[in-house]
Coordinates of all heavy atoms in Angstrom, one line a residue:
Q1477 N -28.2 9.5 -20.2 CA -27.0 8.9 -19.8 C -26.6 7.7 -20.6 O -27.6 7.0 -21.1 CB -27.0 8.5 -18.3 CG -27.4 9.6 -17.4 CD -27.5 9.1 -15.9 OE1 -26.7 9.5 -15.1 NE2 -28.4 8.2 -15.7
A1478 N -25.4 7.4 -20.8 CA -24.9 6.2 -21.4 C -24.1 5.4 -20.4 O -23.0 5.7 -20.1 CB -24.0 6.5 -22.6
V1479 N -24.8 4.4 -19.8 CA -24.2 3.6 -18.7 C -24.0 2.2 -19.1 O -25.0 1.6 -19.5 CB -25.0 3.8 -17.4 CG1 -24.5 2.9 -16.3 CG2 -25.1 5.2 -17.0
S1480 N -22.8 1.6 -18.9 CA -22.6 0.2 -19.1 C -22.2 -0.4 -17.8 O -21.2 0.0 -17.1 CB -21.4 0.1 -20.1 OG -21.2 -1.3 -20.4
V1481 N -22.9 -1.5 -17.4 CA -22.7 -2.1 -16.1 C -22.2 -3.6 -16.4 O -22.9 -4.3 -17.2 CB -24.0 -2.2 -15.3 CG1 -23.7 -3.0 -14.0 CG2 -24.4 -0.8 -15.0
L1482 N -21.1 -3.9 -15.9 CA -20.5 -5.3 -16.1 C -20.8 -6.1 -14.9 O -20.3 -5.9 -13.8 CB -19.0 -5.2 -16.3 CG -18.5 -4.3 -17.5 CD1 -17.0 -4.3 -17.5 CD2 -19.1 -4.8 -18.8
V1483 N -21.6 -7.1 -15.1 CA -21.9 -8.1 -14.1 C -21.7 -9.5 -14.7 O -21.5 -9.6 -15.9 CB -23.4 -8.0 -13.5 CG1 -23.5 -6.7 -12.7 CG2 -24.4 -8.0 -14.6
F1484 N -21.8 -10.6 -13.9 CA -21.4 -11.9 -14.4 C -22.6 -12.9 -14.2 O -23.1 -12.9 -13.1 CB -20.2 -12.4 -13.6 CG -19.6 -13.7 -14.1 CD1 -18.9 -13.7 -15.3 CD2 -19.8 -14.8 -13.4 CE1 -18.4 -15.0 -15.7 CE2 -19.3 -16.0 -13.8 CZ -18.6 -16.1 -14.9
P1485 N -22.9 -13.6 -15.3 CA -23.9 -14.7 -15.1 C -23.4 -15.8 -14.3 O -22.6 -16.6 -14.8 CB -24.2 -15.1 -16.6 CG -23.0 -14.7 -17.4 CD -22.3 -13.6 -16.6
W1486 N -23.7 -15.9 -13.0 CA -23.1 -16.8 -12.1 C -23.7 -18.2 -12.2 O -22.9 -19.2 -12.0 CB -23.3 -16.3 -10.7 CG -22.6 -17.0 -9.6 CD1 -23.1 -17.8 -8.6 CD2 -21.2 -17.0 -9.4 NE1 -22.2 -18.3 -7.8 CE2 -20.9 -17.8 -8.3 CE3 -20.1 -16.4 -10.0 CZ2 -19.7 -18.0 -7.8 CZ3 -18.8 -16.6 -9.5 CH2 -18.6 -17.4 -8.4
S1487 N -25.0 -18.3 -12.4 CA -25.6 -19.7 -12.6 C -26.8 -19.5 -13.5 O -27.0 -18.5 -14.0 CB -26.0 -20.2 -11.2 OG -27.1 -19.5 -10.7
A1488 N -27.6 -20.6 -13.5 CA -28.8 -20.6 -14.4 C -29.8 -19.6 -14.0 O -30.6 -19.1 -14.8 CB -29.4 -22.0 -14.5
H1489 N -29.8 -19.1 -12.7 CA -30.8 -18.2 -12.2 C -30.2 -17.0 -11.4 O -30.9 -16.4 -10.7 CB -31.8 -18.9 -11.4 CG -32.5 -20.0 -12.1 ND1 -33.4 -19.8 -13.1 CD2 -32.3 -21.4 -12.0 CE1 -33.8 -21.0 -13.6 NE2 -33.2 -21.9 -12.9
T1490 N -28.9 -16.8 -11.6 CA -28.2 -15.8 -10.7 C -27.2 -15.0 -11.5 O -26.4 -15.5 -12.3 CB -27.5 -16.5 -9.5 OG1 -28.4 -17.4 -8.9 CG2 -27.0 -15.5 -8.5
V1491 N -27.1 -13.7 -11.2 CA -26.1 -12.8 -11.7 C -25.3 -12.3 -10.5 O -25.9 -12.0 -9.5 CB -26.8 -11.6 -12.4 CG1 -25.8 -10.5 -12.7 CG2 -27.5 -12.1 -13.7
R1492 N -24.0 -12.2 -10.7 CA -23.1 -11.7 -9.6 C -22.6 -10.4 -9.9 O -22.0 -10.1 -11.0 CB -22.0 -12.7 -9.4 CG -21.1 -12.3 -8.2 CD -19.9 -13.2 -8.1 NE -18.9 -12.8 -9.2 CZ -17.7 -13.3 -9.2 NH1 -17.2 -14.1 -8.3 NH2 -16.9 -12.9 -10.1
A1493 N -22.7 -9.4 -9.0 CA -22.1 -8.1 -9.1 C -21.1 -8.0 -8.0 O -21.3 -8.4 -6.8 CB -23.2 -7.0 -8.9
V1494 N -19.9 -7.4 -8.3 CA -18.8 -7.3 -7.4 C -18.2 -5.9 -7.4 O -18.0 -5.3 -8.4 CB -17.7 -8.3 -7.7 CG1 -16.5 -8.2 -6.8 CG2 -18.2 -9.8 -7.8
W1495 N -18.0 -5.4 -6.2 CA -17.4 -4.1 -6.0 C -16.0 -4.2 -5.7 O -15.5 -5.1 -5.0 CB -18.2 -3.3 -4.9 CG -19.4 -2.7 -5.4 CD1 -19.6 -1.3 -5.7 CD2 -20.6 -3.3 -5.8 NE1 -20.8 -1.2 -6.2 CE2 -21.5 -2.4 -6.3 CE3 -21.0 -4.6 -5.7 CZ2 -22.8 -2.7 -6.7 CZ3 -22.3 -5.0 -6.2 CH2 -23.2 -4.0 -6.7
H1496 N -15.2 -3.2 -6.3 CA -13.8 -3.2 -5.9 C -13.3 -1.7 -5.9 O -14.2 -0.8 -6.1 CB -12.9 -4.0 -6.9 CG -13.1 -3.6 -8.4 ND1 -12.5 -2.5 -8.9 CD2 -13.9 -4.1 -9.3 CE1 -12.9 -2.4 -10.2 NE2 -13.7 -3.4 -10.5
R1497 N -12.1 -1.5 -5.7 CA -11.5 -0.2 -5.4 C -11.9 0.9 -6.5 O -12.1 2.0 -6.2 CB -10.0 -0.3 -5.3 CG -9.3 1.0 -5.0 CD -7.8 0.8 -5.0 NE -7.1 2.0 -4.6 CZ -6.8 2.3 -3.3 NH1 -7.1 1.4 -2.4 NH2 -6.2 3.4 -3.1
D1498 N -12.1 0.4 -7.7 CA -12.4 1.4 -8.8 C -13.8 1.6 -9.1 O -14.2 2.3 -10.0 CB -11.7 0.8 -10.1 CG -10.2 0.8 -10.0 OD1 -9.6 1.6 -9.3 OD2 -9.6 -0.1 -10.6
V1499 N -14.7 1.1 -8.2 CA -16.2 1.4 -8.4 C -16.6 2.3 -7.2 O -16.6 2.0 -6.1 CB -17.0 0.0 -8.3 CG1 -18.4 0.3 -8.4 CG2 -16.5 -1.0 -9.3
S1500 N -17.0 3.5 -7.6 CA -17.3 4.6 -6.7 C -18.8 4.5 -6.2 O -19.6 3.7 -6.8 CB -17.1 5.9 -7.3 OG -18.0 6.2 -8.3
A1501 N -19.2 5.4 -5.3 CA -20.6 5.5 -4.9 C -21.4 6.0 -6.0 O -22.5 5.5 -6.2 CB -20.7 6.4 -3.7
R1502 N -20.9 6.9 -6.8 CA -21.6 7.4 -8.0 C -21.8 6.3 -9.0 O -22.9 6.2 -9.6 CB -20.8 8.6 -8.6 CG -21.5 9.1 -9.9 CD -22.9 9.7 -9.6 NE -23.5 10.2 -10.8 CZ -24.7 10.1 -11.1 NH1 -25.6 9.6 -10.3 NH2 -25.2 10.6 -12.3
D1503 N -20.7 5.5 -9.2 CA -20.9 4.3 -10.2 C -22.0 3.4 -9.7 O -22.7 2.9 -10.5 CB -19.6 3.5 -10.2 CG -18.4 4.3 -10.9 OD1 -18.7 5.2 -11.6 OD2 -17.3 4.0 -10.5
T1504 N -22.1 3.2 -8.4 CA -23.1 2.4 -7.8 C -24.5 2.9 -8.1 O -25.4 2.2 -8.4 CB -22.9 2.2 -6.3 OG1 -21.5 1.6 -6.1 CG2 -23.9 1.3 -5.6
E1505 N -24.7 4.2 -7.9 CA -25.9 4.9 -8.2 C -26.3 4.7 -9.7 O -27.5 4.4 -10.0 CB -25.9 6.3 -7.9 CG -25.9 6.7 -6.4 CD -25.8 8.2 -6.2 OE1 -25.9 9.0 -7.1 OE2 -25.7 8.6 -5.0
L1506 N -25.3 4.9 -10.6 CA -25.6 4.7 -12.0 C -26.0 3.2 -12.3 O -26.9 3.0 -13.1 CB -24.4 5.1 -12.8 CG -24.1 6.6 -12.8 CD1 -22.7 6.9 -13.4 CD2 -25.2 7.4 -13.5
A1507 N -25.3 2.3 -11.6 CA -25.7 0.9 -11.8 C -27.1 0.6 -11.4 O -27.8 -0.2 -12.0 CB -24.7 0.0 -11.1
M1508 N -27.5 1.2 -10.3 CA -28.9 1.0 -9.8 C -29.9 1.6 -10.8 O -30.9 0.9 -11.0 CB -29.0 1.7 -8.4 CG -28.2 1.0 -7.3 SD -27.9 2.1 -5.9 CE -29.5 2.5 -5.2
E1509 N -29.6 2.8 -11.3 CA -30.5 3.4 -12.3 C -30.6 2.5 -13.5 O -31.6 2.3 -14.1 CB -30.0 4.8 -12.6 CG -30.2 5.7 -11.5 CD -29.5 7.1 -11.7 OE1 -29.0 7.3 -12.9 OE2 -29.5 7.9 -10.8
K1510 N -29.4 2.0 -14.0 CA -29.4 1.2 -15.2 C -30.2 -0.1 -15.0 O -31.0 -0.5 -15.8 CB -27.9 0.8 -15.5 CG -27.8 -0.1 -16.7 CD -28.1 0.6 -18.1 CE -27.8 -0.3 -19.2 NZ -27.0 0.3 -20.3

C-alpha cells in the first residue's frame, strides 16, 4: 500500500491528529497501519 497520513506537530513532544467529514473508517484503519 501507498498511504500518506497528514498529522500536525502540535508541540515539542506531541503530534495532533484530527478527523473530519472526509476521513472514513477505512482511512482510519490505513492511518493505524501506517
Side-chain angles (χ1 to χ4, degrees):
Q1477 303 176 119
V1479 176
S1480 179
V1481 177
L1482 302 178
V1483 293
F1484 185 75
W1486 189 250
S1487 71
H1489 303 287
T1490 309
V1491 169
R1492 183 185 75 167
V1494 179
W1495 277 255
H1496 56 80
R1497 182 181 185 93
D1498 296 327
V1499 181
S1500 69
R1502 177 64 181 143
D1503 294 335
T1504 302
E1505 288 180 6
L1506 291 170
M1508 291 159 63
E1509 291 172 6
K1510 177 72 176 230

